[in-house]
């Protein structure tokens, strides 16, 4: 009987090691930006909602083609935040995907807490920070 118990414990240990390695691999893939399980969500991304702002919380931004967000009244979507540049970012919807381009903003643009310097594809649930304003991709 002890030999059978020892064999079962070894199998459980191997299963736990396998799960641990699998989680580490998923975490690394997430940090590198390649999460294959999220590709299906990209096709439905077409809007952002302001989730944190002094004056615009709850505002929905629908993206049909291309929009410029910024503090300037001439931008397509006015963001009332003194830390947002006049023309801060451009959002482009194409082929079911939403892409964000920083337009050389002074204080930068952050996606999920990381400063971006090149165009980036957005996924549902991503948090986009412009100044002190935070938008969520829906």
């Amino acid at each position: 009987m002890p030999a059978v118990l020892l064999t079962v414990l070894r199998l459980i240990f191997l299963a736990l090691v396998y799960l641990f390695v699998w989680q580490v691999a998923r975490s690394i893939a997430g940090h590198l930006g390649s999460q294959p399980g999220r590709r299906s969500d990209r096709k439905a991304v077409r809007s952002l909602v302001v989730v944190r702002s002094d004056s615009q919380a709850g505002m929905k931004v629908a993206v049909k083609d291309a929009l410029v967000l910024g503090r300037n009244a001439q931008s397509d979507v006015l963001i009332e935040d003194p830390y947002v540049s006049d023309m801060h970012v451009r959002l482009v919807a194409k082929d079911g995907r939403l892409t964000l381009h920083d337009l050389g903003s002074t204080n930068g643009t952050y996606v999920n807490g990381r400063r971006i310097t090149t165009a980036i594809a957005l996924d549902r649930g991503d948090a986009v920070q412009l100044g002190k304003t935070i938008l969520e991709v829906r």
Side-chain angles (χ1 to χ4, degrees):
M1 186 70 166
V4 172
L5 183 60
L6 188 58
T7 302
V8 169
L9 288 175
R10 284 181 184 161
L11 289 174
I12 292 172
F13 176 75
L14 286 173
L16 290 174
V17 168
Y18 171 77
L19 287 173
F20 174 75
V21 170
W22 180 67
Q23 284 288 36
V24 169
R26 280 189 52 185
S27 177
I28 291 171
H31 286 287
L32 296 176
S34 61
Q35 294 180 342
R38 294 178 70 181
R39 284 195 182 140
S40 62
D41 288 346
R42 285 187 181 168
K43 294 186 179 186
V45 172
R46 292 284 182 173
S47 66
L48 288 95
V49 174
V50 178
V51 293
R52 190 176 82 186
S53 171
D54 291 338
S55 62
Q56 294 177 300
M59 179 179 78
K60 186 173 182 178
V61 178
V63 184
K64 294 179 183 169
D65 187 21
L67 292 175
V68 174
L69 283 69
R71 197 178 58 201
N72 190 320
Q74 294 178 353
S75 59
D76 298 316
V77 178
L78 178 66
I79 304 294
E80 297 169 356
D81 184 336
Y83 296 97
V84 171
S85 295
D86 287 343
M87 300 288 189
H88 200 98
V89 295
R90 179 185 313 116
L91 290 167
V92 179
K94 185 175 180 183
D95 298 330
R97 292 190 177 173
L98 193 58
T99 306
L100 179 83
H101 304 265
D102 184 271
L103 299 176
S105 61
T106 304
N107 293 320
T109 301
Y110 296 83
V111 175
N112 298 326
R114 292 184 175 174
R115 187 170 185 156
I116 63 157
T117 55
T118 61
I120 183 170
L122 298 175
D123 292 320
R124 181 179 306 273
D126 283 345
V128 177
Q129 182 173 352
L130 316 172
K132 291 185 176 182
T133 302
I134 298 178
L135 302 100
E136 181 182 320
V137 180
R138 302 264 169 106

